Amino acid sequence: MSFSSTPLSSHPLAVYGWDEGWEAEFAPYAEQGLLPGRVVRVDRGLCDVVTPVGTVRADTEFVVPRDPMKVVCTGDWVAVDPEGNNPRYVRTLLPRRTAFVRSTSSKRSEGQVLATNIDHVVICVSLAVELDLGRIERYLALAMSCSSGEALLHRSALSWESGAQPVVVLTKADLVPDPVALSYLVDDVEASAPGVPVLTVCARDGDGVEELAALLGRGTSVLLGASGAGKSTLANALAGEDVMGVQATRDMDGKGRHTTTTRNLLPLPGGGVLIDTPGLRGVGLWDAGAGVGQVFSEIEEFARDCRFHDCAHESEPGCAVRAAVEDGELPPRRLESYHKLVRENQWIVAKSDARMRADIRHDWKRKQAAGRAAGEAKRGRGPWRPAPPR
C-alpha cells in the first residue's frame, strides 16, 4: 500500500511526529519502495520500528557505523524493508534534527547519543534528596547544546535556536508539604535555570501532570534524570496507563534502582511522544560550550564589561564578573559552577582537537607567567635583572 499521497494529518505515523520535513527527507527512499518508520526501542543490534503497517522488528546490520555517534538510537527515523522475514533490515538512517549527547566514561574521546529528534528535554529532579543545582546546570548545558548539525533548517518551531527546549520537573513534590519551603526550592532552581520552565509534580497523585502534559503536547520529549527520580512513574502518568515498570526507592538515601533498562518511545494521549530513559549516574559534557554560555547567561552579560575581552574571570584586573560577585549581584556558587563546566568542556573538546590542546597549554603558560609576575610585584620586586658588575 502506498502512503505517499496520504494527507499528513491522517498519516499513520503522524502521531509519532511525521511531518513535511521528514516526508521530504524520505522521498528518495519511497521511490525505492522502502517503508518509513521511527525507532521506538533498541536492543543489542535489533530495534522495534513503528511503520505505517505496524511495529516491526528490524536488524541494524547494514547501518552499523564506525562512529558511535551515528549508532541507531531511540527516536531515529529510518527506512526499512517493506516486507520480508522477521527481523527485517534497516536500510538507512535519516539525518537527525537534534540529539542529546553525553561523553562516555572511557578515556577515549567518544560521545554517547541518548535520544534523537527531540523537541523537549525534561530534566527530572527528585525532591526526596537534597537538590544538586550543579547537576541541574550540567543537564541544562547539554540540553541547550542539543543539536546534530545535520538538518538545522528543518527544526521544529518548538526547538530553541541551540537545540531542544529544556524543562526542569521537580518530582515527588508531596514530600515537601510546606508550600513556602517548596517555593524556596523552586526559586533556587529557577535562579540556576534562567528562562527555563520549572514545574513541581507528584505523579502518583497526578498533581502537576496535566500542566506538564500540555507543555509536551506537541513534538518529542525525553525524560532524563538519576535513578529514583521518578521518570517511569511520570511516564505512566503522562501516558495514562502503566506502560513502564516502577520500583520503590531505598529508604536510607532516597536513591532508586534501575527500573528502566532501555530507551522506549511512547505516544501520549494528548499528543506528542515521550522517550523514557534509564537512570543516569554520570552526565559528562560533550561539546557543550554554547549550552554553558546560555545556562550562565548572566555571567556572559557581566563579562561584556570586563577590561579584557578574553577575561577568564579568575584573577584578572578589571573583571566585571568578579566585581559582581563581590557586590552580591552574582552568587559565588554560580561562578564556581561556570568555571567547572567551562574547564570540563574545554578538556573534552581538546581530547579530539590538537589546536585546542595547544591553545589551552599556551593559555596555562600565560596565566602562570602572569601569576609569577604579580607575586613578584606584590613582594616589592621588579622584573629580574642581572646584578651590575663590581
Side-chain angles (χ1 to χ4, degrees):
M1 179 180 178
S2 174
F3 294 92
S4 58
S5 59
T6 304
L8 288 176
S9 59
S10 57
H11 194 282
L13 295 177
V15 295
Y16 289 92
W18 185 259
D19 58 25
E20 292 180 355
W22 292 121
E23 189 171 72
E25 290 283 358
F26 187 76
Y29 308 106
E31 294 176 358
Q32 300 173 26
L34 298 176
L35 277 178
R38 192 165 195 189
V39 178
V40 297
R41 176 188 171 103
V42 178
D43 183 21
R44 298 179 181 179
L46 297 175
C47 59
D48 293 337
V49 181
V50 60
T51 74
V53 296
T55 301
V56 301
R57 192 72 165 158
D59 195 315
T60 62
E61 178 182 350
F62 294 124
V63 289
V64 175
R66 292 180 179 270
D67 186 352
M69 294 278 285
K70 296 181 180 180
V71 172
V72 174
C73 182
T74 301
D76 277 329
W77 287 93
V78 297
V80 298
D81 292 332
E83 56 188 16
N85 298 328
N86 189 18
R88 305 183 189 186
Y89 285 98
V90 173
R91 295 297 175 176
T92 194
L93 180 67
L94 298 188
R96 293 164 174 166
R97 295 179 180 176
T98 55
F100 189 95
V101 184
R102 68 169 178 174
S103 65
T104 63
S105 58
S106 68
K107 295 182 180 180
R108 293 176 296 177
S109 178
E110 292 183 353
Q112 179 189 19
V113 183
L114 300 182
T116 63
N117 299 315
I118 49 181
D119 300 291
H120 299 94
V121 175
V122 183
I123 302 165
C124 298
V125 181
S126 172
L127 292 177
V129 296
E130 184 177 354
L131 279 180
D132 186 343
L133 298 177
R135 187 178 177 88
I136 294 174
E137 290 162 345
R138 180 179 294 272
Y139 272 110
L140 289 171
L142 286 171
M144 292 177 177
S145 300
C146 177
S147 168
S148 70
E150 294 182 68
L152 303 184
L153 298 178
H154 298 297
R155 279 191 182 146
S156 162
L158 293 173
S159 297
W160 281 24
E161 183 181 353
S162 60
Q165 162 76 59
V167 182
V168 178
V169 175
L170 303 180
T171 64
K172 307 182 182 181
D174 57 313
L175 299 180
V176 187
D178 183 356
V180 176
L182 184 60
S183 68
Y184 285 150
L185 293 173
V186 172
D187 289 344
D188 287 343
V189 175
E190 288 179 338
S192 301
V196 175
V198 179
L199 306 179
T200 59
V201 170
C202 176
R204 185 177 60 185
D205 299 334
D207 295 338
V209 173
E210 186 175 345
E211 181 181 359
L212 177 60
L215 188 62
L216 309 181
R218 292 180 54 207
T220 300
S221 306
V222 59
L223 295 182
L224 297 171
S227 295
K231 298 185 302 300
S232 294
T233 303
L234 183 57
N236 289 339
L238 290 168
E241 58 180 315
D242 291 339
V243 291
M244 303 301 299
V246 297
Q247 294 187 37
T249 56
R250 297 196 298 256
D251 292 334
M252 68 180 74
D253 56 11
K255 294 184 178 180
R257 305 173 180 87
H258 283 290
T259 301
T260 303
T261 57
T262 59
R263 302 175 198 111
N264 303 276
L265 187 146
L266 315 166
L268 299 178
V273 292
L274 182 71
I275 299 176
D276 190 20
T277 64
L280 300 176
R281 290 191 178 91
V283 192
L285 295 187
W286 179 263
D287 196 13
V292 172
Q294 284 188 274
V295 174
F296 297 92
S297 57
E298 77 276 33
I299 293 180
E300 300 284 315
E301 286 293 326
F302 286 126
R304 294 180 180 180
D305 295 326
C306 288
R307 180 182 300 179
F308 305 109
H309 75 277
D310 59 347
C311 182
H313 321 310
E314 292 177 344
S315 59
E316 297 88 346
C319 176
V321 174
R322 301 292 306 183
V325 173
E326 294 171 2
D327 294 341
E329 298 180 77
L330 178 67
R333 189 206 67 79
R334 285 282 284 173
L335 183 56
E336 291 171 6
S337 182
Y338 171 80
H339 280 314
K340 180 178 180 180
L341 295 184
V342 166
R343 286 193 295 266
E344 179 181 335
N345 190 67
Q346 286 179 339
W347 181 77
I348 289 294
V349 174
K351 288 204 299 182
S352 59
D353 189 325
R355 177 176 292 183
M356 172 68 78
R357 288 197 298 272
D359 289 343
I360 290 176
R361 283 196 298 269
H362 176 74
D363 191 50
W364 282 345
K365 292 180 180 178
R366 179 181 62 82
K367 290 179 180 178
Q368 287 173 348
R372 287 194 296 268
E376 293 292 325
K378 187 174 182 179
R379 289 190 291 270
R381 304 174 186 172
W384 180 85
R385 294 185 179 88
R390 294 181 180 179

